[in-house]
Amino acid sequence: MLTVHADSRGRALAVQGAWIADAGSRDRLLAAHPGARVRTWPGILTPGLVNPHGNELLEEAYHPDPREADELGAGPVTGDALAALAMDDARWGASVRRGVQRMLAHGTVRAACEELRNPAVRAALNRSAMAGTGRVGRPGGTPSLDPYACGLPVEFAPPRERHSAARFAVFDVRDEAELAERGAGSCVATVVDGRLVYRRR
């Protein structure tokens, strides 16, 4: 079924399977696709964010299970604290799955990575909804699940247009200026390959 995702500015994307079937104003898309299912979101549709710290967040950090929060906290565990943990392939894989979900919750659709050295991390990322994109060298800044908090210029994925992959995010803000002020924690939905992989409750 074709689904039209529309934002509060009247902009919309028509999604068929894993692809963008059409893009334009909400009114035009609803007229062109009268049988479509409609999802109307608060805020703005964007192509989704690129997090520049893929290696640092997925291969050099452990994302605790909520049941470990009393012992390890809720945020990524790094450095000496990570070195003190007994990490095997299963634990790395679970960490990547949680890390990816937390990145999706910040509207991230791509993680920039150098070659991942840990096979368990690489395999878990390949099975996830997160797309990897190449990078050369360390990007600087401070690794963060919120790309707006890392101290580097924020990068978005390429604009969504007809026949492009259905990967995008919605942020509950008035415009891009408010998004920059409030950060990616304002994400309300992330769509990857046409699937709603994150929705704020």
Side-chain angles (χ1 to χ4, degrees):
M1 174 181 284
L2 187 141
T3 301
V4 172
H5 295 263
D7 69 12
S8 59
R9 297 192 291 191
R11 299 174 183 176
L13 297 169
V15 175
Q16 182 78 57
W19 304 96
I20 302 294
D22 206 351
S25 72
R26 180 182 188 275
D27 291 345
R28 185 184 74 75
L29 265 58
L30 292 183
H33 308 282
R37 178 173 60 182
V38 180
R39 288 188 183 272
T40 301
W41 299 103
I44 64 173
L45 282 166
T46 77
L49 295 165
V50 178
N51 193 304
H53 293 108
N55 293 77
E56 292 79 5
L57 289 171
L58 298 176
E59 194 172 48
E60 300 172 14
Y62 174 70
H63 296 271
D65 185 288
R67 294 169 294 184
E68 300 174 301
D70 288 344
E71 177 187 358
L72 300 177
V77 177
T78 61
D80 291 342
L82 173 60
L85 297 179
M87 298 295 295
D88 57 17
D89 287 353
R91 200 173 191 189
W92 272 119
S95 171
V96 170
R97 289 191 293 274
R98 290 188 292 268
V100 164
Q101 191 57 39
R102 290 162 188 173
M103 293 168 82
L104 293 169
H106 287 81
T108 294
V109 298
R110 291 182 179 273
C113 301
E114 299 175 277
E115 182 178 0
L116 293 167
R117 301 177 300 278
N118 185 322
V121 170
R122 187 167 60 245
L125 180 60
N126 288 341
R127 289 193 299 266
S128 78
M130 182 68 61
T133 188
R135 75 176 199 198
V136 178
R138 297 261 169 177
T142 303
S144 174
L145 294 169
D146 182 351
Y148 282 94
C150 72
L152 298 175
V154 172
E155 180 182 356
F156 282 89
R160 300 298 84 191
E161 55 190 18
R162 192 176 183 187
H163 303 315
S164 64
R167 286 177 171 264
F168 55 90
V170 188
F171 297 91
D172 188 10
V173 294
R174 292 185 303 272
D175 51 30
E176 286 78 6
E178 186 180 0
L179 174 56
E181 179 182 340
R182 290 183 53 193
S186 59
C187 180
V188 293
T190 305
V191 173
V192 172
D193 295 337
R195 296 181 296 115
L196 186 63
V197 294
Y198 169 74
R199 181 174 185 174
R200 189 168 71 189
R201 296 177 181 177

